[in-house]
mmCIF file of all heavy atoms in Angstrom:
data_model
loop_
_atom_site.group_PDB
_atom_site.id
_atom_site.type_symbol
_atom_site.label_atom_id
_atom_site.label_comp_id
_atom_site.label_asym_id
_atom_site.label_seq_id
_atom_site.Cartn_x
_atom_site.Cartn_y
_atom_site.Cartn_z
ATOM 1 N N PHE S 1 -6.703 -9.870 -9.913
ATOM 2 C CA PHE S 1 -6.133 -10.438 -8.691
ATOM 3 C C PHE S 1 -7.091 -10.255 -7.515
ATOM 4 O O PHE S 1 -7.346 -11.190 -6.759
ATOM 5 C CB PHE S 1 -4.786 -9.778 -8.401
ATOM 6 C CG PHE S 1 -4.202 -10.170 -7.083
ATOM 7 C CD1 PHE S 1 -3.608 -11.407 -6.919
ATOM 8 C CD2 PHE S 1 -4.261 -9.311 -5.998
ATOM 9 C CE1 PHE S 1 -3.074 -11.781 -5.685
ATOM 10 C CE2 PHE S 1 -3.728 -9.669 -4.775
ATOM 11 C CZ PHE S 1 -3.132 -10.904 -4.614
ATOM 12 N N CYS S 2 -7.614 -9.053 -7.377
ATOM 13 C CA CYS S 2 -8.534 -8.773 -6.261
ATOM 14 C C CYS S 2 -9.806 -9.607 -6.369
ATOM 15 O O CYS S 2 -10.319 -10.095 -5.357
ATOM 16 C CB CYS S 2 -8.863 -7.291 -6.205
ATOM 17 S SG CYS S 2 -7.449 -6.275 -5.721
ATOM 18 N N ALA S 3 -10.303 -9.785 -7.594
ATOM 19 C CA ALA S 3 -11.489 -10.618 -7.798
ATOM 20 C C ALA S 3 -11.203 -12.050 -7.347
ATOM 21 O O ALA S 3 -12.048 -12.694 -6.704
ATOM 22 C CB ALA S 3 -11.923 -10.583 -9.256
ATOM 23 N N LYS S 4 -10.014 -12.547 -7.665
ATOM 24 C CA LYS S 4 -9.638 -13.906 -7.252
ATOM 25 C C LYS S 4 -9.547 -13.995 -5.734
ATOM 26 O O LYS S 4 -9.988 -14.973 -5.132
ATOM 27 C CB LYS S 4 -8.301 -14.307 -7.898
ATOM 28 C CG LYS S 4 -7.896 -15.725 -7.618
ATOM 29 C CD LYS S 4 -8.922 -16.687 -8.174
ATOM 30 C CE LYS S 4 -8.605 -18.116 -7.818
ATOM 31 N NZ LYS S 4 -9.691 -19.026 -8.191
ATOM 32 N N CYS S 5 -8.979 -12.961 -5.109
ATOM 33 C CA CYS S 5 -8.888 -12.942 -3.645
ATOM 34 C C CYS S 5 -10.270 -12.976 -3.012
ATOM 35 O O CYS S 5 -10.504 -13.726 -2.054
ATOM 36 C CB CYS S 5 -8.128 -11.702 -3.167
ATOM 37 S SG CYS S 5 -6.379 -11.725 -3.587
ATOM 38 N N CYS S 6 -11.197 -12.178 -3.547
ATOM 39 C CA CYS S 6 -12.565 -12.159 -3.020
ATOM 40 C C CYS S 6 -13.227 -13.518 -3.216
ATOM 41 O O CYS S 6 -13.946 -13.998 -2.336
ATOM 42 C CB CYS S 6 -13.377 -11.058 -3.683
ATOM 43 S SG CYS S 6 -12.894 -9.398 -3.147
ATOM 44 N N GLU S 7 -12.955 -14.140 -4.348
ATOM 45 C CA GLU S 7 -13.473 -15.482 -4.632
ATOM 46 C C GLU S 7 -12.969 -16.489 -3.590
ATOM 47 O O GLU S 7 -13.679 -17.419 -3.218
ATOM 48 C CB GLU S 7 -13.010 -15.889 -6.034
ATOM 49 C CG GLU S 7 -13.538 -17.200 -6.537
ATOM 50 C CD GLU S 7 -12.993 -17.499 -7.923
ATOM 51 O OE1 GLU S 7 -13.123 -16.640 -8.818
ATOM 52 O OE2 GLU S 7 -12.413 -18.592 -8.100
ATOM 53 N N LEU S 8 -11.754 -16.276 -3.108
ATOM 54 C CA LEU S 8 -11.155 -17.160 -2.100
ATOM 55 C C LEU S 8 -11.618 -16.814 -0.682
ATOM 56 O O LEU S 8 -11.238 -17.485 0.271
ATOM 57 C CB LEU S 8 -9.630 -17.065 -2.165
ATOM 58 C CG LEU S 8 -8.976 -17.577 -3.439
ATOM 59 C CD1 LEU S 8 -7.509 -17.185 -3.475
ATOM 60 C CD2 LEU S 8 -9.143 -19.085 -3.551
ATOM 61 N N GLY S 9 -12.400 -15.730 -0.560
ATOM 62 C CA GLY S 9 -12.911 -15.348 0.748
ATOM 63 C C GLY S 9 -12.107 -14.268 1.455
ATOM 64 O O GLY S 9 -12.309 -14.014 2.640
ATOM 65 N N TYR S 10 -11.204 -13.627 0.728
ATOM 66 C CA TYR S 10 -10.392 -12.558 1.294
ATOM 67 C C TYR S 10 -10.866 -11.224 0.720
ATOM 68 O O TYR S 10 -10.799 -11.024 -0.495
ATOM 69 C CB TYR S 10 -8.906 -12.757 0.961
ATOM 70 C CG TYR S 10 -8.317 -13.985 1.574
ATOM 71 C CD1 TYR S 10 -8.162 -15.154 0.835
ATOM 72 C CD2 TYR S 10 -7.914 -13.986 2.900
ATOM 73 C CE1 TYR S 10 -7.612 -16.288 1.397
ATOM 74 C CE2 TYR S 10 -7.360 -15.120 3.467
ATOM 75 C CZ TYR S 10 -7.214 -16.266 2.714
ATOM 76 O OH TYR S 10 -6.675 -17.388 3.276
ATOM 77 N N PRO S 11 -11.320 -10.314 1.562
ATOM 78 C CA PRO S 11 -11.797 -9.024 1.063
ATOM 79 C C PRO S 11 -10.636 -8.103 0.673
ATOM 80 O O PRO S 11 -10.186 -7.271 1.456
ATOM 81 C CB PRO S 11 -12.579 -8.457 2.254
ATOM 82 C CG PRO S 11 -11.905 -9.055 3.453
ATOM 83 C CD PRO S 11 -11.443 -10.420 3.014
ATOM 84 N N VAL S 12 -10.133 -8.286 -0.531
ATOM 85 C CA VAL S 12 -9.019 -7.485 -1.032
ATOM 86 C C VAL S 12 -9.531 -6.682 -2.229
ATOM 87 O O VAL S 12 -10.081 -7.256 -3.173
ATOM 88 C CB VAL S 12 -7.839 -8.386 -1.475
ATOM 89 C CG1 VAL S 12 -6.736 -7.573 -2.113
ATOM 90 C CG2 VAL S 12 -7.311 -9.175 -0.294
ATOM 91 N N TYR S 13 -9.358 -5.376 -2.147
ATOM 92 C CA TYR S 13 -9.818 -4.487 -3.213
ATOM 93 C C TYR S 13 -8.660 -3.639 -3.706
ATOM 94 O O TYR S 13 -7.680 -3.424 -2.985
ATOM 95 C CB TYR S 13 -10.970 -3.613 -2.697
ATOM 96 C CG TYR S 13 -12.100 -4.459 -2.174
ATOM 97 C CD1 TYR S 13 -12.248 -4.676 -0.813
ATOM 98 C CD2 TYR S 13 -12.985 -5.083 -3.044
ATOM 99 C CE1 TYR S 13 -13.265 -5.483 -0.328
ATOM 100 C CE2 TYR S 13 -14.009 -5.890 -2.573
ATOM 101 C CZ TYR S 13 -14.135 -6.092 -1.210
ATOM 102 O OH TYR S 13 -15.140 -6.898 -0.737
ATOM 103 N N GLU S 14 -8.789 -3.147 -4.935
ATOM 104 C CA GLU S 14 -7.703 -2.422 -5.581
ATOM 105 C C GLU S 14 -7.150 -1.299 -4.703
ATOM 106 O O GLU S 14 -5.939 -1.183 -4.522
ATOM 107 C CB GLU S 14 -8.159 -1.830 -6.922
ATOM 108 C CG GLU S 14 -8.424 -2.862 -7.990
ATOM 109 C CD GLU S 14 -9.892 -3.296 -8.037
ATOM 110 O OE1 GLU S 14 -10.614 -3.152 -7.019
ATOM 111 O OE2 GLU S 14 -10.303 -3.797 -9.093
ATOM 112 N N MET S 15 -8.020 -0.475 -4.179
ATOM 113 C CA MET S 15 -7.560 0.670 -3.394
ATOM 114 C C MET S 15 -6.877 0.233 -2.096
ATOM 115 O O MET S 15 -5.992 0.928 -1.608
ATOM 116 C CB MET S 15 -8.701 1.635 -3.104
ATOM 117 C CG MET S 15 -9.099 2.459 -4.315
ATOM 118 S SD MET S 15 -7.729 3.267 -5.200
ATOM 119 C CE MET S 15 -7.031 4.313 -3.955
ATOM 120 N N ASP S 16 -7.263 -0.911 -1.546
ATOM 121 C CA ASP S 16 -6.582 -1.425 -0.355
ATOM 122 C C ASP S 16 -5.124 -1.736 -0.672
ATOM 123 O O ASP S 16 -4.223 -1.389 0.094
ATOM 124 C CB ASP S 16 -7.250 -2.703 0.158
ATOM 125 C CG ASP S 16 -8.652 -2.474 0.676
ATOM 126 O OD1 ASP S 16 -8.957 -1.345 1.109
ATOM 127 O OD2 ASP S 16 -9.442 -3.438 0.652
ATOM 128 N N VAL S 17 -4.899 -2.389 -1.798
ATOM 129 C CA VAL S 17 -3.548 -2.780 -2.194
ATOM 130 C C VAL S 17 -2.714 -1.538 -2.517
ATOM 131 O O VAL S 17 -1.573 -1.404 -2.069
ATOM 132 C CB VAL S 17 -3.581 -3.746 -3.403
ATOM 133 C CG1 VAL S 17 -2.171 -4.089 -3.867
ATOM 134 C CG2 VAL S 17 -4.340 -5.016 -3.044
ATOM 135 N N ILE S 18 -3.308 -0.602 -3.257
ATOM 136 C CA ILE S 18 -2.593 0.623 -3.629
ATOM 137 C C ILE S 18 -2.268 1.447 -2.389
ATOM 138 O O ILE S 18 -1.138 1.907 -2.213
ATOM 139 C CB ILE S 18 -3.430 1.439 -4.632
ATOM 140 C CG1 ILE S 18 -3.522 0.678 -5.958
ATOM 141 C CG2 ILE S 18 -2.842 2.834 -4.832
ATOM 142 C CD1 ILE S 18 -4.557 1.217 -6.916
ATOM 143 N N ALA S 19 -3.263 1.629 -1.514
ATOM 144 C CA ALA S 19 -3.056 2.435 -0.305
ATOM 145 C C ALA S 19 -2.004 1.810 0.607
ATOM 146 O O ALA S 19 -1.182 2.516 1.184
ATOM 147 C CB ALA S 19 -4.368 2.614 0.448
ATOM 148 N N ALA S 20 -2.008 0.495 0.730
ATOM 149 C CA ALA S 20 -1.025 -0.180 1.582
ATOM 150 C C ALA S 20 0.387 0.072 1.065
ATOM 151 O O ALA S 20 1.303 0.333 1.844
ATOM 152 C CB ALA S 20 -1.315 -1.674 1.653
ATOM 153 N N GLY S 21 0.561 0.020 -0.244
ATOM 154 C CA GLY S 21 1.873 0.282 -0.824
ATOM 155 C C GLY S 21 2.305 1.723 -0.612
ATOM 156 O O GLY S 21 3.454 2.002 -0.265
ATOM 157 N N GLU S 22 1.372 2.648 -0.783
ATOM 158 C CA GLU S 22 1.694 4.062 -0.596
ATOM 159 C C GLU S 22 2.012 4.370 0.864
ATOM 160 O O GLU S 22 2.914 5.149 1.156
ATOM 161 C CB GLU S 22 0.548 4.936 -1.093
ATOM 162 C CG GLU S 22 0.440 4.927 -2.611
ATOM 163 C CD GLU S 22 -0.739 5.722 -3.127
ATOM 164 O OE1 GLU S 22 -1.559 6.219 -2.329
ATOM 165 O OE2 GLU S 22 -0.844 5.837 -4.360
ATOM 166 N N GLU S 23 1.256 3.766 1.774
ATOM 167 C CA GLU S 23 1.513 3.978 3.203
ATOM 168 C C GLU S 23 2.880 3.444 3.600
ATOM 169 O O GLU S 23 3.608 4.074 4.367
ATOM 170 C CB GLU S 23 0.418 3.322 4.040
ATOM 171 C CG GLU S 23 -0.913 4.033 3.952
ATOM 172 C CD GLU S 23 -2.047 3.244 4.575
ATOM 173 O OE1 GLU S 23 -1.791 2.230 5.268
ATOM 174 O OE2 GLU S 23 -3.204 3.636 4.364
ATOM 175 N N SER S 24 3.227 2.286 3.064
ATOM 176 C CA SER S 24 4.526 1.695 3.354
ATOM 177 C C SER S 24 5.647 2.586 2.823
ATOM 178 O O SER S 24 6.640 2.835 3.508
ATOM 179 C CB SER S 24 4.609 0.303 2.723
ATOM 180 O OG SER S 24 5.879 -0.243 2.880
ATOM 181 N N TYR S 25 5.486 3.091 1.619
ATOM 182 C CA TYR S 25 6.485 3.967 1.008
ATOM 183 C C TYR S 25 6.620 5.260 1.820
ATOM 184 O O TYR S 25 7.724 5.712 2.098
ATOM 185 C CB TYR S 25 6.094 4.276 -0.433
ATOM 186 C CG TYR S 25 7.070 5.172 -1.145
ATOM 187 C CD1 TYR S 25 8.268 4.673 -1.629
ATOM 188 C CD2 TYR S 25 6.784 6.518 -1.339
ATOM 189 C CE1 TYR S 25 9.173 5.490 -2.287
ATOM 190 C CE2 TYR S 25 7.681 7.339 -1.997
ATOM 191 C CZ TYR S 25 8.870 6.826 -2.474
ATOM 192 O OH TYR S 25 9.757 7.637 -3.120
ATOM 193 N N ALA S 26 5.499 5.831 2.216
ATOM 194 C CA ALA S 26 5.517 7.075 2.994
ATOM 195 C C ALA S 26 6.217 6.860 4.334
ATOM 196 O O ALA S 26 6.985 7.716 4.791
ATOM 197 C CB ALA S 26 4.103 7.589 3.205
ATOM 198 N N ALA S 27 5.978 5.723 4.970
ATOM 199 C CA ALA S 27 6.628 5.427 6.252
ATOM 200 C C ALA S 27 8.145 5.316 6.071
ATOM 201 O O ALA S 27 8.916 5.803 6.901
ATOM 202 C CB ALA S 27 6.064 4.143 6.851
ATOM 203 N N MET S 28 8.572 4.695 4.973
ATOM 204 C CA MET S 28 10.006 4.585 4.709
ATOM 205 C C MET S 28 10.607 5.965 4.447
ATOM 206 O O MET S 28 11.695 6.271 4.925
ATOM 207 C CB MET S 28 10.271 3.666 3.511
ATOM 208 C CG MET S 28 10.103 2.203 3.829
ATOM 209 S SD MET S 28 10.647 1.133 2.487
ATOM 210 C CE MET S 28 9.426 1.456 1.239
ATOM 211 N N ARG S 29 9.896 6.804 3.713
ATOM 212 C CA ARG S 29 10.389 8.162 3.439
ATOM 213 C C ARG S 29 10.547 8.955 4.731
ATOM 214 O O ARG S 29 11.520 9.662 4.920
ATOM 215 C CB ARG S 29 9.423 8.935 2.530
ATOM 216 C CG ARG S 29 9.484 8.665 1.072
ATOM 217 C CD ARG S 29 10.672 9.262 0.430
ATOM 218 N NE ARG S 29 10.669 10.728 0.465
ATOM 219 C CZ ARG S 29 11.209 11.471 -0.432
ATOM 220 N NH1 ARG S 29 11.771 10.913 -1.469
ATOM 221 N NH2 ARG S 29 11.231 12.772 -0.325
ATOM 222 N N ARG S 30 9.553 8.834 5.612
ATOM 223 C CA ARG S 30 9.613 9.564 6.878
ATOM 224 C C ARG S 30 10.770 9.088 7.742
ATOM 225 O O ARG S 30 11.295 9.845 8.541
ATOM 226 C CB ARG S 30 8.300 9.407 7.645
ATOM 227 C CG ARG S 30 7.169 10.225 7.077
ATOM 228 C CD ARG S 30 5.980 10.227 8.016
ATOM 229 N NE ARG S 30 5.467 8.911 8.304
ATOM 230 C CZ ARG S 30 4.566 8.245 7.587
ATOM 231 N NH1 ARG S 30 4.081 8.785 6.487
ATOM 232 N NH2 ARG S 30 4.139 7.063 7.944
ATOM 233 N N SER S 31 11.167 7.847 7.584
ATOM 234 C CA SER S 31 12.209 7.297 8.446
ATOM 235 C C SER S 31 13.620 7.654 7.971
ATOM 236 O O SER S 31 14.582 7.388 8.673
ATOM 237 C CB SER S 31 12.076 5.782 8.541
ATOM 238 O OG SER S 31 12.444 5.171 7.327
ATOM 239 N N THR S 32 13.750 8.256 6.799
ATOM 240 C CA THR S 32 15.070 8.617 6.291
ATOM 241 C C THR S 32 15.318 10.106 6.455
ATOM 242 O O THR S 32 14.551 10.925 5.968
ATOM 243 C CB THR S 32 15.224 8.242 4.805
ATOM 244 O OG1 THR S 32 14.221 8.913 4.053
ATOM 245 C CG2 THR S 32 15.108 6.745 4.602
ATOM 246 N N ASN S 33 16.366 10.463 7.149
ATOM 247 C CA ASN S 33 16.763 11.862 7.342
ATOM 248 C C ASN S 33 15.617 12.746 7.805
ATOM 249 O O ASN S 33 15.454 13.855 7.329
ATOM 250 C CB ASN S 33 17.358 12.439 6.058
ATOM 251 C CG ASN S 33 18.694 11.845 5.757
ATOM 252 O OD1 ASN S 33 19.364 11.299 6.631
ATOM 253 N ND2 ASN S 33 19.106 11.930 4.508
ATOM 254 N N GLY S 34 14.797 12.275 8.668
ATOM 255 C CA GLY S 34 13.713 13.079 9.205
ATOM 256 C C GLY S 34 12.500 13.165 8.308
ATOM 257 O O GLY S 34 11.481 13.726 8.674
ATOM 258 N N GLY S 35 12.569 12.616 7.127
ATOM 259 C CA GLY S 35 11.414 12.539 6.246
ATOM 260 C C GLY S 35 10.998 13.833 5.588
ATOM 261 O O GLY S 35 9.916 13.935 5.054
ATOM 262 N N GLY S 36 11.828 14.837 5.620
ATOM 263 C CA GLY S 36 11.477 16.101 4.984
ATOM 264 C C GLY S 36 11.592 16.035 3.473
ATOM 265 O O GLY S 36 11.875 14.994 2.896
ATOM 266 N N GLU S 37 11.396 17.174 2.852
ATOM 267 C CA GLU S 37 11.468 17.240 1.395
ATOM 268 C C GLU S 37 12.842 16.867 0.874
ATOM 269 O O GLU S 37 12.990 16.461 -0.267
ATOM 270 C CB GLU S 37 11.106 18.635 0.920
ATOM 271 C CG GLU S 37 9.644 18.950 1.055
ATOM 272 C CD GLU S 37 9.304 20.326 0.520
ATOM 273 O OE1 GLU S 37 10.066 20.846 -0.322
ATOM 274 O OE2 GLU S 37 8.294 20.869 0.940
ATOM 275 N N LYS S 38 13.864 17.006 1.706
ATOM 276 C CA LYS S 38 15.221 16.714 1.255
ATOM 277 C C LYS S 38 15.633 15.275 1.530
ATOM 278 O O LYS S 38 16.788 14.918 1.383
ATOM 279 C CB LYS S 38 16.201 17.686 1.899
ATOM 280 C CG LYS S 38 15.949 19.102 1.451
ATOM 281 C CD LYS S 38 16.934 20.063 2.000
ATOM 282 C CE LYS S 38 16.536 21.434 1.479
ATOM 283 N NZ LYS S 38 17.350 22.487 1.918
ATOM 284 N N SER S 39 14.672 14.449 1.929
ATOM 285 C CA SER S 39 14.970 13.037 2.131
ATOM 286 C C SER S 39 15.377 12.434 0.793
ATOM 287 O O SER S 39 14.859 12.824 -0.253
ATOM 288 C CB SER S 39 13.739 12.284 2.642
ATOM 289 O OG SER S 39 13.430 12.683 3.936
#
């Protein structure tokens, strides 16, 4: 998928996609019940 994106002129790399998903998940976790371990 990333190779196809680069072919189309979009600089998308595996770690960018993975990191974006993890960052989004972490932000959602932090937003629930204060984001502590007991979230």
